[in-house]
Amino acid sequence: MKRILAWYKRHYTLNVGIAAFLFVWQLIHLYWLTTHVAFLRLFGLSLFNLQGIWQYLIIVVDYTEIPALIMTSFIYIHELTKRFSWKNIWFLVFINSQWLHLFWVTDEFVIQQFINASVAILPLWLAWFAIFIDYLELPVIYDTFKKFFVSLRRRS
């Protein structure tokens, strides 16, 4: 474990940069989630309806979240090995709540719930909760980019 932490510390800027780059893709997914899924339910209007190859690309973008979650978790675990901080604990909770969203309450469930609530097995409030979970990434994305740019500045 000490060797892994030592390697991580030596390559901190690279690791944070990769995590930030992977996480920035989630902004595209959040934009789609807001302008297509939520807007369609709330206003009956989609502002970003993807079809064909674009629909498959948004799925690929969504699954870049998996390595982003793993790498970003390492960032906050690394921070906690240096010193305890409730912010780091909360950010770990925020990003790891995404696993619940990814593997239990998927986007397909949310869309199906919004389109045809009578067919869905799970309640409507759970669809809104799944969307809320996705937005817990935003402060972590911001903080990850901040850590990356601070790390770059320290290296120069």
Side-chain angles (χ1 to χ4, degrees):
M1 186 65 163
K2 286 182 182 182
R3 289 175 56 180
I4 292 170
L5 289 174
W7 177 88
Y8 189 85
K9 188 176 181 177
R10 277 193 318 273
H11 302 287
Y12 179 78
T13 303
L14 175 66
N15 288 312
V16 174
I18 292 170
F21 176 76
L22 288 170
F23 245 148
V24 79
W25 288 101
Q26 293 312 300
L27 295 176
I28 297 167
H29 177 258
L30 289 172
Y31 180 80
W32 168 81
L33 189 65
T34 303
T35 59
H36 175 62
V37 178
F39 268 58
L40 192 60
R41 177 64 181 176
L42 293 171
F43 308 113
L45 170 71
S46 172
L47 301 177
F48 195 59
N49 188 8
L50 299 174
Q51 302 289 323
I53 188 73
W54 299 108
Q55 187 174 10
Y56 292 110
L57 285 174
I58 201 73
I59 292 168
V60 170
V61 163
D62 195 23
Y63 281 101
T64 63
E65 184 172 21
I66 294 170
L69 294 176
I70 293 167
M71 293 193 76
T72 309
S73 290
F74 277 119
I75 292 169
Y76 292 103
I77 291 168
H78 173 71
E79 293 287 323
L80 285 168
T81 63
K82 295 191 305 189
R83 67 176 169 75
F84 179 83
S85 163
W86 280 107
K87 180 187 102 174
N88 293 331
I89 295 289
W90 280 113
F91 282 5
L92 273 169
V93 169
F94 289 173
I95 58 175
N96 284 290
S97 68
Q98 303 305 311
W99 295 107
L100 175 68
H101 171 68
L102 274 170
F103 295 114
W104 179 52
V105 185
T106 65
D107 289 340
E108 292 84 24
F109 158 73
V110 172
I111 292 170
Q112 194 57 252
Q113 179 65 34
F114 285 166
I115 291 171
N116 191 358
S118 64
V119 174
I121 297 169
L122 300 171
L124 179 63
W125 66 265
L126 194 56
W128 287 111
F129 183 69
I131 290 173
F132 171 75
I133 287 173
D134 255 344
Y135 284 96
L136 290 176
E137 292 175 334
L138 288 173
V140 179
I141 292 169
Y142 170 78
D143 193 59
T144 304
F145 270 95
K146 184 174 145 187
K147 287 180 184 314
F148 175 63
F149 288 118
V150 166
S151 180
L152 277 178
R153 198 171 351 159
R154 284 186 185 149
R155 292 182 82 204
S156 54

